[in-house]
Amino acid sequence: MWDGYEYASAINRALLDGFQRGDLRLAGHASQAFAAPAIAAQALAPGQSWPILALNVVLWLVSIAGIWRLSTMLFPHPDLRVERSLVTAAFAAQPALLAAVVQPGLDLPVVPWFLWTAVLLLRGRWVWAALTGIALTFTKET
């Protein structure tokens, strides 16, 4: 509970106190890759909770797409489509992941960056993998 309150408060303070570059470090974490879009989303309705929740839903959906893509790459046979769907559904409904969607924090944003970095590494997309890996590093801490 403390984390969610602290991060949401820091995002709102960034808007209300006049944005400073240091505001991208939420609660002292190297969180620039999440704080920048979170502050931008929060600018739509300062003091309201729905912008961060909407951003978290987007991060959740991007994570689901990442696990689907990763499972498709690892188990490409067409006969395994049902199994890939079940794995993706189990991932999407995982309680800790769903809790992170409704509780502002730095754990949820790590998930899509991690999954898509893995996908890009497996596909040999080195530049994109490096960029997503850097974003992963600047989402929480190494």
Side-chain angles (χ1 to χ4, degrees):
M1 296 294 267
W2 178 89
D3 286 355
Y5 177 78
E6 182 63 28
Y7 298 133
S9 296
I11 290 165
N12 273 301
R13 274 193 311 272
L15 294 171
L16 300 174
D17 297 342
F19 177 75
Q20 302 291 319
R21 195 173 61 203
D23 292 332
L24 295 175
R25 291 183 55 86
L26 300 177
H29 292 287
S31 56
Q32 295 87 342
F34 172 68
I39 292 168
Q42 194 62 44
L44 297 171
Q48 300 293 313
S49 60
W50 68 263
I52 292 177
L53 291 174
L55 176 61
N56 283 352
V57 168
V58 169
L59 292 171
W60 178 65
L61 293 172
V62 170
S63 298
I64 293 168
I67 200 74
W68 173 257
R69 183 67 181 120
L70 193 57
S71 67
T72 302
M73 292 173 67
L74 296 175
F75 307 105
H77 197 277
D79 291 346
L80 296 175
R81 184 172 182 86
V82 170
E83 286 82 356
R84 288 192 305 265
S85 297
L86 290 172
V87 166
T88 302
F91 172 84
Q94 205 276 339
L97 188 64
L98 289 176
V101 173
V102 297
Q103 175 75 11
L106 299 179
D107 297 325
L108 177 64
V110 168
V111 177
W113 288 124
F114 173 79
L115 291 170
W116 283 99
T117 299
V119 167
L120 293 165
L121 284 171
L122 290 171
R123 294 188 72 202
R125 305 284 173 103
W126 309 119
V127 173
W128 286 109
L131 292 173
T132 57
I134 290 168
L136 173 60
T137 301
F138 285 99
T139 297
K140 193 165 182 180
E141 63 261 340
T142 57

